[in-house]
């Protein structure tokens, strides 16, 4: 082995099968792709996922205290930019606009993607602070799978899990790289392509402006107040203020 720069540690630890985390709060359904997830306990059955405060899904899960994991087949790889590049905050109903249909879990009524190969309904039990992400721990209360999951094991005849290998960095075009189950063939999907580009640019700009507001504020309370006003003026939801200030503080702390 040769020494690897910690800058690329994240990608060294891939490939990972990402899950789509879905949730709903205040009548709004959203979700995001997450590669940083794990099984955390047999009894009770716990699953964990790391979510950054900037994600709209962070609000949906922390406020509703329930969520779902969805496993998607590789067949849907072209739709991944809707789930993992744009934010529900700036691109409403991204899951249905990606062509998926929402159904409800029988146990908690959480939104689940009808096209998923498997799904788990989870009750939020804890949010553990980490670095720039927090770890959401959920207790599984119900699980569903297509028939390809037979006698407690995947046959992998129909379900071909999506495998994520990481994204290329700027300068240069940004691609998310996924592996096809056929001979580890690479598929490079352009980051936030097509009509997703505008929503992605606005997301970056709004976050930069919020970081600037936080940098100039003399206290966290003042920052939250200013960000609240900024969100209202920008046509966004004011109850995002605390989480976005939290994200900005973490970003400033990193520098
Ligand atoms: C394959 C993949 C894996 C990702 N894994 C995570 C993750 O584990 N945690 C996280 O906070 N963001 C992760 N992201 C980024 C979010 O999915 C992305 O920021 C998304 O647009 C957030 O959407 P939201 O604001 O609607 O919640 C991942 C993105 C991709 C494409």
């Amino acid at each position: 082995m040769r020494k690897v720069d910690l800058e690329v540690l994240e990608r060294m630890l891939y490939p990972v099968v990402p899950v789509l985390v879905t949730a709903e709060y205040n009548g709004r359904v959203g979700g995001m792709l997450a590669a940083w997830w794990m099984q955390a306990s047999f009894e009770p059955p716990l699953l964990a996922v790391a979510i950054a405060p900037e994600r709209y899904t962070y609000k949906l899960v922390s406020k509703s205290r329930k969520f779902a994991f969805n496993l998607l087949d590789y067949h849907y790889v072209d739709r991944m930019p809707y789930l993992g590049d744009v934010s529900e905050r700036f691109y409403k109903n991204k899951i249905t606009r990606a062509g998926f249909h929402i159904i409800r879990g029988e146990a908690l009524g959480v939104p689940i993607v009808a096209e998923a190969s498997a799904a788990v309904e989870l009750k939020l039990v804890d949010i553990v602070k980490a670095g720039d992400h927090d770890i959401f721990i959920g207790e599984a209360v119900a699980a569903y799978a297509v028939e390809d999951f037979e006698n407690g094991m995947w046959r992998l005849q129909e379900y071909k899990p999506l495998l994520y290998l990481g994204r290329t960095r700027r300068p240069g075009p940004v691609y998310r790289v996924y592996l096809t189950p056929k001979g580890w063939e690479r598929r490079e999907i352009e980051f936030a392509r097509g009509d997703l580009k505008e929503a992605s640019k606005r997301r970056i700009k709004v976050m930069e402006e919020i970081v600037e507001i936080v940098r100039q504020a003399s206290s966290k309370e003042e920052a939250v107040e200013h960000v609240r006003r900024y969100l209202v003026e920008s046509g966004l939801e004011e109850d995002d203020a605390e989480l976005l200030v939290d994200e900005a503080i973490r970003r400033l702390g990193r520098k």
Side-chain angles (χ1 to χ4, degrees):
M1 286 186 285
R2 62 185 161 74
K3 201 151 188 205
V4 171
D5 196 328
L6 288 183
E7 283 250 314
V8 294
L9 175 67
E10 179 213 357
R11 277 168 280 158
M12 191 192 81
L13 296 172
Y14 291 147
V16 163
V17 174
V19 293
L20 170 65
V21 179
T22 45
E24 175 178 18
Y25 171 68
N26 234 348
R28 200 147 165 206
V29 171
M32 55 165 248
L33 276 186
W36 295 2
W37 69 274
M38 66 183 285
Q39 309 200 35
S41 163
F42 263 130
E43 199 43 58
L46 300 180
L47 303 179
V49 58
I51 305 180
E54 183 266 346
R55 317 295 190 230
Y56 193 76
T57 306
Y58 191 113
K59 176 167 89 172
L60 296 178
V61 180
S62 59
K63 298 258 191 193
S64 68
R65 302 197 66 82
K66 50 189 185 176
F67 56 114
F69 274 14
N70 302 257
L71 289 173
L72 295 171
D73 186 273
Y74 174 76
H75 176 72
Y76 298 110
V77 67
D78 288 320
R79 305 190 195 180
M80 291 309 123
Y82 288 90
L83 309 177
D85 293 348
V86 288
S87 176
E88 178 66 28
R89 185 174 285 118
F90 300 103
Y91 198 89
K92 283 202 174 108
N93 302 319
K94 67 185 211 181
I95 298 178
T96 48
R97 283 163 86 180
F100 295 111
H101 297 87
I102 298 291
I103 52 170
R104 303 278 154 185
E106 286 168 18
L108 301 174
V110 287
I112 282 175
V113 166
E115 291 80 2
S117 298
V120 187
E121 287 189 85
L122 296 146
K123 221 167 38 187
L124 181 67
V125 293
D126 206 357
I127 302 176
V128 180
K129 291 250 169 253
D132 54 14
H133 287 56
D134 288 340
I135 301 162
F136 285 62
I137 301 172
E139 180 173 348
V141 295
Y144 315 88
V146 294
E147 283 180 5
D148 201 21
F149 185 70
E150 196 179 60
N151 301 324
M153 204 172 275
W154 285 107
R155 292 187 306 139
L156 298 176
Q157 235 79 349
E158 284 95 44
Y159 169 50
K160 308 280 190 215
L162 195 69
L163 271 181
Y164 182 59
L165 203 59
R167 61 179 259 192
T168 60
R169 302 282 138 169
R170 296 187 174 92
V174 179
Y175 291 102
R176 302 275 194 187
V177 183
Y178 295 91
L179 294 177
T180 81
K182 308 166 212 134
W184 304 115
E185 181 194 355
R186 281 166 77 111
R187 274 291 300 279
E188 297 188 342
I189 308 282
E190 190 193 345
F191 181 80
R193 62 191 173 173
D195 76 323
L196 303 180
K197 274 206 171 85
E198 277 314 305
S200 165
K201 275 192 204 147
R202 178 151 188 245
R203 173 184 188 177
I204 292 166
K205 186 162 167 277
V206 163
M207 202 56 229
E208 279 170 2
E209 286 176 359
I210 288 174
V211 168
E212 205 38 51
I213 293 170
V214 172
R215 195 202 304 277
Q216 285 173 22
S218 50
S219 66
K220 188 174 172 189
E221 292 68 35
E222 187 189 308
V224 170
E225 216 27 63
H226 287 182
V227 169
R228 201 179 285 279
R229 219 173 307 141
Y230 167 82
L231 290 172
V232 172
E233 283 162 11
S234 309
L236 295 166
E237 295 169 5
E238 59 178 310
D239 68 349
D240 283 344
E242 291 214 5
L243 285 175
L244 294 176
V245 166
D246 193 3
E247 173 83 22
I249 288 170
R250 296 185 204 201
R251 288 192 188 186
L252 288 166
R254 278 207 309 251
K255 280 184 191 146

